[in-house]
Amino acid sequence: MIKAINLHRSYTIGKKTIEVLHGLELHIRPGEKVFLCGPSGAGKTTLMYTLAGLEMPQQGTVEIGGKSIYGLLTKARAEFRNRMMGFIFQNYMLMPELTALENASLATAIAGREATQEVTALLDRVGLGNRLDHLPNELSGGEQQRVSIARALAHNPEIIFADEPTGNLDSRNSNEVLDLLFSLADERKKTLVIVTHDPNIAKRGDRILTIRDGIVCDEA
C-alpha cells in the first residue's frame, strides 16, 4: 500500500542544516496498523506528512498503491490525496463555527458529494448520534476527536493518517478513541499510520517503526 524509497528531508535554521530524513525506506502493507515512534524531533510527523503527499522530499519517492505520488502534478496529487487518505490530528482541527455533522461532512463536501445520511450514520457509530448539531466548544475533547474520526472516514479513504490522535486525551478517553478507531478500520479494511510518542499505545498496532537519526532503525 505505502512504499518509501530513499527519502531525504532537511531544514535550514540560520546557518545550521538539520537532516530529518536520511535515506529512509519503509513498506506498509494494506490493512496494517502501523505506529511511527521515536524521540522528540526524530522526524515522525515530517515522515507522516511526506508519506501523505503533504511535504515533498528533497530526494526519494513515495509510492501508494504502486503510484508515485510526487510524480503527479500538484492538483492531481491533491485529488489523489483527497480520494485515498483521511487525517486525524492531535488538536482535532475542527471548524469552530460548524456543527459536528457539518465538520464530519467536510471531506465529502470537498469531494463534491452529498453524503449527509452516511455521515449521520457514521457519527451515530462513534457515539455522537445525539450531538449532531453541537458546535466543537460544546463537545468534550474525546467527543471532538470522535468527530474527527468520522470526518476522516466519511469519504471512504484507503489510508488513515493520525498524528498523536490521543495526545490531548486522558488515559480512559485515549483507550476509547483507539478502540473505536481500530474497530472502524477493521470493519472498513483501512490502513492506519499513527504517530505517537507513547510506547504503550504503540504496542496495540501490528508493527512499530522506530525513527532515529533519520532512518527506520528497527521494526517490531
Side-chain angles (χ1 to χ4, degrees), residues 69-208:
I69 61 174
Y70 291 107
L72 299 172
L73 296 176
T74 301
K75 182 180 179 182
R77 187 164 66 247
E79 291 172 347
F80 182 80
R81 185 170 57 245
N82 291 339
R83 184 176 71 254
M84 289 287 293
M85 305 172 195
F87 296 89
I88 303 168
F89 301 97
Q90 177 176 345
N91 294 321
Y92 321 130
M93 304 290 282
L94 302 180
M95 301 292 286
E97 70 276 14
L98 300 183
T99 66
L101 177 58
E102 290 166 338
N103 266 293
S105 300
L106 283 174
T108 56
I110 290 171
R113 184 165 61 87
E114 173 62 44
T116 302
Q117 189 171 3
E118 294 98 315
V119 177
T120 299
L122 192 50
L123 284 168
D124 186 60
R125 176 68 178 78
V126 301
L128 295 176
N130 62 344
R131 310 281 275 172
L132 302 181
D133 296 324
H134 285 67
L135 296 172
N137 65 7
E138 298 172 318
L139 302 172
S140 69
E143 288 171 333
Q144 290 186 61
Q145 196 59 297
R146 288 166 184 259
V147 173
S148 72
I149 289 173
R151 178 184 60 196
L153 286 161
H155 60 300
N156 198 32
E158 297 295 322
I159 306 164
I160 304 296
F161 289 100
D163 190 5
E164 297 280 6
T166 61
N168 284 339
L169 304 177
D170 59 30
S171 58
R172 181 179 66 82
N173 274 302
S174 292
N175 285 322
E176 288 180 357
V177 163
L178 280 178
D179 287 344
L180 182 61
L181 179 57
F182 279 20
S183 176
L184 287 167
D186 285 338
E187 287 174 13
R188 295 163 183 252
K189 297 180 172 58
K190 306 304 179 190
T191 302
L192 291 181
V193 181
I194 304 174
V195 169
T196 186
H197 67 279
D198 188 333
N200 292 318
I201 288 176
K203 289 176 183 176
R204 300 188 55 178
D206 297 321
R207 277 197 297 158
I208 299 171

Side-chain angles (χ1 to χ4, degrees), residues 6-9 19-25 213-216:
N6 193 34
L7 293 183
H8 288 260
R9 191 73 176 86
E19 193 158 21
V20 181
L21 305 180
H22 184 65
L24 184 145
E25 305 208 358
D213 299 326
I215 61 171
V216 175

